[in-house]
Amino acid sequence: MKILLTGGAGYIGSHTAVALLDAGHAVAVLDNYSNSSPEAIRRVEQITGKSVNLYEADAADKSVVMDILKKEMPDCIIHFAGLKAVGESVEKPVEYYRNNIDTTLTLLECMKELGLKNFVFSSSATVYGDDHKPPFTEEMTKGACTNPYGWTKWMQEQMLTDAALASEKGSDWKEPLSVVLLRYFNPVGSHESGLIGEDPQGIPNNLMPFISQVAVGRRDHLTVFGDDYDTPDGTCRRDYIHVMDLAEGHVKAAEYAAEHTGTEVFNLGTGNPYSVLDMVKAFGAACGHDVAYEIGPRRAGDIQDSWANADKALKVLGWETKRGIDEICRDAWNWQSHNPNGYK
Ligand code: NAD
Ligand code: UD1
């Protein structure tokens, strides 16, 4: 298939491009580089020995997106483009709603006009809110989000579900849509080559890039956000999924979308929770020295526990994770130690 990735130069998009090319699909990427660099795609081409059609464009700009889609006529769109920093979304809600919602609406309008059918969306476990106890299953009701970023995911899921429903009833859609909503848990790690990886701008918000930067000497120590939770070591537990496992989940999702119509939701996680201190310890083993940390106060908005029930993805997509925290830490360290300043 020919697959267009919006936001394909970003962290998850670039790894998915590798997985799709390795699986024999053709890949086009549309990105405005607001949080990435075209260098990531050059390295995707280096890893795979295959070329990518690359467009610098804003996924919310309808006339430009129409031109690209008319040229490519992809069998499937995977929509990664979006702003994703939780804290920043609280400070800049208008920018977050504008960018994340507009890009999805633009893509839907273009797909409707061109009769394109298949759409895979980057959603997040954040839509479960904190109303449920893990493991989270897809049929649980979506919860209240604690920040504008989370609400954009919640709303985009709803918009896509409504559009798929309308398209199935005929209305003025040329084709019934096929929408796959992928709820990621905590994507971490890098491609095993160490050529591509996570390259956050400024001070990392997320745990793994922060640990990596401490390990490589860019930062002094990690602050662990609270050790007084009701967990075995007092720190929060998450479902850390290797980004290449996640990427392979997208290959399965795109292939599934091509065979179906309507909306389907899948958790992409391992089902195994690890605490913050588990990750610190595992990273220390991978990099060969202890990662300095101190215990700080809880972070506002954090939930104690989050992990997936990933049975549905196994049953329906035939997908399951193959890599554990040792591979995650090994590959994250390989990327960080060979690229201490990211793509710069
Ligand atoms: P990322 O920032 O590395 O990638 C997003 C890409 O989208 C970047 O390359 C950015 O330049 C591009 N982009 C943003 N707005 C754009 C626009 N208007 N037009 C064109 N390109 C645009 O982030 P990521 O970690 O790769 O995340 C990809 C997707 O997965 C995002 O939608 C994110 O919300 C979602 N997600 C990420 C995580 C995570 O932990 N990384 C978890 C759950 C969901
Ligand atoms: C966060 C977002 C979530 C988003 C995801 C991916 C919040 C509340 N949630 O998830 O919506 O989908 O990122 O972008 O922000 N930690 C530390 N010290 C640090 C950083 C993190 O102790 O410096 C801890 C956190 O308290 C948490 C765990 O590490 O317990 C993982 O944090 P993080 O990587 O930010 O992911 P989430 O909070 O799970």
Side-chain angles (χ1 to χ4, degrees), residues 6-13 30-37 57-60 79-84 99-100 103 121-125 149 153 184-187 198 206:
T6 73
Y11 171 47
I12 302 170
L30 177 170
D31 203 299
N32 66 0
Y33 309 129
S34 58
N35 195 37
S36 58
S37 149
D58 187 330
H79 183 32
F80 296 102
L83 300 175
K84 63 158 186 175
N99 191 62
N100 292 3
T103 50
F121 177 61
S122 298
S123 190
S124 165
Y149 162 77
K153 293 293 176 199
Y184 309 159
F185 281 70
N186 288 60
E198 190 167 13
N206 297 114

Side-chain angles (χ1 to χ4, degrees), residues 84 86 124 126 149 186 205-208 210 222-225 236 238 240 276 299 301-302:
K84 63 158 186 175
V86 171
S124 165
T126 198
Y149 162 77
N186 288 60
N205 300 303
N206 297 114
L207 180 67
M208 282 300 278
F210 207 108
L222 169 78
T223 300
V224 175
F225 296 144
C236 294
R238 295 288 183 273
Y240 296 97
V276 177
R299 178 172 69 177
D302 273 344

Side-chain angles (χ1 to χ4, degrees), residues 24-340:
H25 297 293
V27 170
V29 163
L30 177 170
D31 203 299
N32 66 0
Y33 309 129
S34 58
N35 195 37
S36 58
S37 149
E39 174 63 14
I41 297 301
R42 202 191 60 71
R43 296 195 188 182
V44 166
E45 292 178 325
Q46 186 184 341
I47 292 167
T48 60
K50 295 179 180 167
S51 65
V52 170
N53 290 350
L54 185 57
Y55 300 92
E56 180 171 359
D58 187 330
D61 184 335
K62 189 171 172 192
S63 67
V64 174
V65 172
M66 268 304 251
D67 287 347
I68 295 168
L69 289 179
K70 274 185 194 157
K71 195 164 161 216
E72 293 287 338
M73 289 304 277
D75 301 297
C76 182
I77 295 174
I78 308 183
H79 183 32
F80 296 102
L83 300 175
K84 63 158 186 175
V86 171
E88 186 184 62
S89 79
V90 177
E91 286 151 31
K92 299 182 175 176
V94 177
E95 289 84 344
Y96 270 67
Y97 285 111
R98 170 67 79 191
N99 191 62
N100 292 3
I101 304 287
D102 255 13
T103 50
T104 299
L105 289 174
T106 299
L107 290 164
L108 280 172
E109 284 176 359
C110 294
M111 289 176 76
K112 186 176 180 184
E113 283 175 42
L114 296 173
L116 298 174
K117 173 185 161 281
N118 304 318
F119 196 90
V120 175
F121 177 61
S122 298
S123 190
S124 165
T126 198
V127 300
Y128 290 112
D130 55 7
D131 300 350
H132 310 287
K133 288 252 171 294
F136 300 135
T137 55
E138 291 86 350
E139 67 271 15
M140 284 175 171
T141 49
K142 292 196 279 173
C145 298
T146 53
N147 55 76
Y149 162 77
W151 282 117
T152 68
K153 293 293 176 199
W154 200 105
M155 291 174 192
Q156 286 171 97
E157 281 201 0
Q158 191 63 43
M159 288 159 32
L160 289 161
T161 305
D162 290 342
L165 197 64
S167 71
E168 279 202 319
K169 296 208 167 103
S171 62
D172 48 354
W173 289 77
K174 292 189 179 81
E175 288 264 7
L177 281 175
S178 177
V179 168
V180 178
L181 306 174
L182 298 178
R183 294 182 181 157
Y184 309 159
F185 281 70
N186 288 60
V188 286
S190 310
H191 186 263
E192 63 180 10
S193 64
L195 284 169
I196 56 174
E198 190 167 13
D199 182 21
Q201 313 296 306
I203 301 169
N205 300 303
N206 297 114
L207 180 67
M208 282 300 278
F210 207 108
I211 291 180
S212 307
Q213 291 192 8
V214 174
V216 83
R218 264 173 82 177
R219 310 206 176 265
D220 186 47
H221 68 276
L222 169 78
T223 300
V224 175
F225 296 144
D227 70 347
D228 57 350
Y229 288 94
D230 184 17
T231 62
D233 65 17
T235 66
C236 294
R237 293 179 292 188
R238 295 288 183 273
D239 186 336
Y240 296 97
I241 172 171
H242 194 294
V243 67
M244 285 310 299
D245 280 329
L246 188 78
E248 287 159 15
H250 289 73
V251 178
K252 298 282 191 187
E255 291 169 355
Y256 176 89
E259 302 292 321
H260 294 81
T261 57
T263 303
E264 210 56 69
V265 187
F266 296 101
N267 286 336
L268 294 185
T270 68
N272 302 316
Y274 288 99
S275 74
V276 177
L277 292 179
D278 289 335
M279 298 311 287
V280 170
K281 203 170 149 205
F283 206 97
C287 73
H289 57 84
D290 286 348
V291 175
Y293 71 89
E294 60 182 41
I295 305 295
R298 290 182 176 198
R299 178 172 69 177
D302 273 344
I303 58 172
Q304 176 176 296
D305 285 324
S306 166
W307 64 88
N309 174 317
D311 292 352
K312 185 178 172 191
L314 175 60
K315 196 167 156 225
V316 180
L317 300 178
W319 171 89
E320 63 184 330
T321 57
K322 299 181 198 139
R323 302 156 178 95
I325 58 166
D326 294 338
E327 287 89 351
I328 284 172
C329 294
R330 177 199 68 196
D331 295 339
W333 177 240
N334 190 30
W335 155 253
Q336 189 69 64
S337 55
H338 288 98
N339 305 269

